[in-house]
Amino acid sequence: MDVARLRSDTLASLRPTVLAVFFAAVGAIGALGHPPAGMLPLTLISLGAFLWLRPWELSLRRAAIAGWGYGAGYFALTLHWIVEPFLVDVARHGWMAPFALFLMAGGLALFWGAAAALAAWRRSGLVFVLAFAGAELARAHLFGGFPWGMHVTAFVDVVLYQGAAWLGPHGLTLAVALALLGLVEGVRAAGARAALPRVAARRLMGLALALGLGLAVFLPPLEAPAAAGDAPLIRTVQPNAAQQLKWREDMRPLFLERKMRATAARPHADLVIWPEVALTTWLQEGGITFTEAAQRGRGAEIFIGAQSWRDGQAWNALAHVGAGGNLRGVYEKHHLVPFGEYMPLGWLFSRVGIYGLAANEGFGFAAGAGPKVLDVTGIGPVQPLICYESIFAHEVGRGVDRPRLIAVVTNDAWFGQLGGPAQHLMQSQARAIEQGLPVARSANTGISAIIDARGRLVAYLPLGRSGHADAALPAALPPTLYARLGEVPFAALAVLALLSHMLARHLRSGRFQD
């Protein structure tokens, strides 16, 4: 029995709706590798199953449906937390929640549907792998970008993601997809009628790839160098302020005191980091709070998330407060959350009462000038990232002097209690690995952490607990290949794969034979 032909004929006979649902189920299995389930092998098994099914052998339209269905199932389950921000104020935003999940999952799935259609046009699994990796790169950039939930991001706690230090997240996506394609084709060829040497070679290739992927999934990453004996002490503060309570007049003093207590805790820290919008007044009105925090910190410099207002515009900002309570610098978030911090066509939506989730006016926040580093005494340049900015690998370290530390401030109270906060934490771990730099992460409700240059959690405070996490500043590694070259390794790997494929086709056709 020709299993490949039977599989292709069965898929071709399914109604389009059934085909989409079937592949959505395959995609949903892959989402289980992400938190809260964290069943890592299923992410690779799911993508491998998609490659095994070879949807590029279908018609162009049906291949697009298969790719879209796979993406829709994957993103709907991975991004389950996307409904949580709309439930903070149910009366105002609750009706948007199902539309947000459907539109987000369906919209992102279009990238994968296009990749499958392109592969069907060329009738090639390699074209799908290249197009799939390219689609992931595209969704990190187009329409503002949203690279959350990449397959490879699930593996930041194991050795597999260490490859991102060389290839970046998109290059690693391509490498993993190529390995899975080789494994699947090796297993498939081993069961087909072929010359014995070719079967043996394919079996060995499949075995080697299976072993390599298995080790990459189950082995922990290498340890980073130990922190210097005189390394400054870093502290991330977590007040655990529920979003529904954070702005209540009777609760503000409680949450402020929690932040002050954490700042004053012994041993005294050299840098204290408060979470996103930790200041409940405008930054320009925060002088008294800055002075008190500096006094409590006993010589610490402090990063304080705040909203800034000037010239009729609001910014989501980070204040750098000196040891004397003086304002040493301000960073203004430049990569804003669409429909959260600003509304596209806000002037129009505001007329019908639709506003951004985190802003009180239709226009929302203004965008800052761009990436920036803040010079901290005893540490050097620190690059701040505010919440959503931490998911964009290509923006970290670009356009600024190489930082000594990445500081992420966020308010994950928006993301609920299931997988959202853990997935967001993994984004910070990924940035540490890619850049070879430590990351200090302060989250309003958790998970706050200090992360070493290999992506390991040195210290952390779990979800839903108030307090602080301390650690000596972890050692930095030399600039990684990805930090130096960006997406160049991804492009080089794509070209190499394509040239290898073309060479193999020429050899099989006998054109290079005497």
PDB file of all heavy atoms in Angstrom, residues 61 76 130 171 213 263 303 350 376 480:
ATOM      1  N   ARG A  61      -5.088  26.185  -3.233  1.00  0.00           N
ATOM      2  CA  ARG A  61      -6.134  26.662  -2.323  1.00  0.00           C
ATOM      3  C   ARG A  61      -6.229  25.783  -1.080  1.00  0.00           C
ATOM      4  O   ARG A  61      -6.306  26.291   0.050  1.00  0.00           O
ATOM      5  CB  ARG A  61      -7.473  26.684  -3.052  1.00  0.00           C
ATOM      6  CG  ARG A  61      -8.667  27.063  -2.163  1.00  0.00           C
ATOM      7  CD  ARG A  61      -9.929  27.232  -3.000  1.00  0.00           C
ATOM      8  NE  ARG A  61     -11.093  27.463  -2.155  1.00  0.00           N
ATOM      9  CZ  ARG A  61     -11.892  26.497  -1.707  1.00  0.00           C
ATOM     10  NH1 ARG A  61     -11.630  25.223  -2.023  1.00  0.00           N
ATOM     11  NH2 ARG A  61     -12.935  26.782  -0.958  1.00  0.00           N
ATOM     12  N   ALA A  76      -4.673  30.141  18.518  1.00  0.00           N
ATOM     13  CA  ALA A  76      -5.835  30.264  19.395  1.00  0.00           C
ATOM     14  C   ALA A  76      -5.536  29.712  20.786  1.00  0.00           C
ATOM     15  O   ALA A  76      -5.966  30.282  21.797  1.00  0.00           O
ATOM     16  CB  ALA A  76      -7.041  29.548  18.788  1.00  0.00           C
ATOM     17  N   LEU A 130      11.366  27.074   4.207  1.00  0.00           N
ATOM     18  CA  LEU A 130      11.932  28.411   4.001  1.00  0.00           C
ATOM     19  C   LEU A 130      10.852  29.484   4.117  1.00  0.00           C
ATOM     20  O   LEU A 130      11.058  30.533   4.743  1.00  0.00           O
ATOM     21  CB  LEU A 130      12.612  28.488   2.640  1.00  0.00           C
ATOM     22  CG  LEU A 130      13.879  27.656   2.465  1.00  0.00           C
ATOM     23  CD1 LEU A 130      14.305  27.630   1.002  1.00  0.00           C
ATOM     24  CD2 LEU A 130      15.010  28.183   3.331  1.00  0.00           C
ATOM     25  N   GLY A 171      16.505  32.412  12.584  1.00  0.00           N
ATOM     26  CA  GLY A 171      17.451  31.428  12.090  1.00  0.00           C
ATOM     27  C   GLY A 171      17.291  30.094  12.792  1.00  0.00           C
ATOM     28  O   GLY A 171      17.393  29.027  12.169  1.00  0.00           O
ATOM     29  N   LEU A 213      17.723  16.354  18.102  1.00  0.00           N
ATOM     30  CA  LEU A 213      16.567  17.106  18.590  1.00  0.00           C
ATOM     31  C   LEU A 213      16.173  16.655  19.991  1.00  0.00           C
ATOM     32  O   LEU A 213      15.795  17.459  20.839  1.00  0.00           O
ATOM     33  CB  LEU A 213      15.391  16.949  17.630  1.00  0.00           C
ATOM     34  CG  LEU A 213      15.500  17.704  16.303  1.00  0.00           C
ATOM     35  CD1 LEU A 213      14.373  17.311  15.366  1.00  0.00           C
ATOM     36  CD2 LEU A 213      15.482  19.211  16.544  1.00  0.00           C
ATOM     37  N   THR A 263      12.141  48.503  48.435  1.00  0.00           N
ATOM     38  CA  THR A 263      13.297  49.345  48.129  1.00  0.00           C
ATOM     39  C   THR A 263      14.231  49.476  49.319  1.00  0.00           C
ATOM     40  O   THR A 263      15.463  49.515  49.167  1.00  0.00           O
ATOM     41  CB  THR A 263      12.810  50.739  47.681  1.00  0.00           C
ATOM     42  OG1 THR A 263      11.952  50.595  46.549  1.00  0.00           O
ATOM     43  CG2 THR A 263      13.971  51.646  47.307  1.00  0.00           C
ATOM     44  N   PHE A 303      14.822  52.684  39.017  1.00  0.00           N
ATOM     45  CA  PHE A 303      14.005  52.820  37.815  1.00  0.00           C
ATOM     46  C   PHE A 303      12.541  52.741  38.240  1.00  0.00           C
ATOM     47  O   PHE A 303      12.139  51.776  38.896  1.00  0.00           O
ATOM     48  CB  PHE A 303      14.297  51.695  36.822  1.00  0.00           C
ATOM     49  CG  PHE A 303      15.607  51.829  36.086  1.00  0.00           C
ATOM     50  CD1 PHE A 303      16.029  50.826  35.231  1.00  0.00           C
ATOM     51  CD2 PHE A 303      16.411  52.947  36.219  1.00  0.00           C
ATOM     52  CE1 PHE A 303      17.215  50.922  34.530  1.00  0.00           C
ATOM     53  CE2 PHE A 303      17.610  53.069  35.525  1.00  0.00           C
ATOM     54  CZ  PHE A 303      18.013  52.049  34.678  1.00  0.00           C
ATOM     55  N   SER A 350     -12.824  56.939  18.971  1.00  0.00           N
ATOM     56  CA  SER A 350     -13.229  57.649  20.191  1.00  0.00           C
ATOM     57  C   SER A 350     -14.621  58.251  20.059  1.00  0.00           C
ATOM     58  O   SER A 350     -15.319  58.434  21.053  1.00  0.00           O
ATOM     59  CB  SER A 350     -12.209  58.743  20.525  1.00  0.00           C
ATOM     60  OG  SER A 350     -12.169  59.728  19.509  1.00  0.00           O
ATOM     61  N   VAL A 376      23.865  53.915  34.615  1.00  0.00           N
ATOM     62  CA  VAL A 376      23.687  53.673  36.041  1.00  0.00           C
ATOM     63  C   VAL A 376      25.051  53.572  36.703  1.00  0.00           C
ATOM     64  O   VAL A 376      25.920  52.810  36.247  1.00  0.00           O
ATOM     65  CB  VAL A 376      22.880  52.386  36.290  1.00  0.00           C
ATOM     66  CG1 VAL A 376      22.751  52.097  37.786  1.00  0.00           C
ATOM     67  CG2 VAL A 376      21.492  52.500  35.655  1.00  0.00           C
ATOM     68  N   THR A 480      27.192  38.081  21.180  1.00  0.00           N
ATOM     69  CA  THR A 480      26.880  36.891  20.400  1.00  0.00           C
ATOM     70  C   THR A 480      26.918  37.214  18.898  1.00  0.00           C
ATOM     71  O   THR A 480      26.904  38.378  18.496  1.00  0.00           O
ATOM     72  CB  THR A 480      25.487  36.366  20.760  1.00  0.00           C
ATOM     73  OG1 THR A 480      24.515  37.362  20.383  1.00  0.00           O
ATOM     74  CG2 THR A 480      25.368  36.086  22.250  1.00  0.00           C
TER      75      THR A 480
END
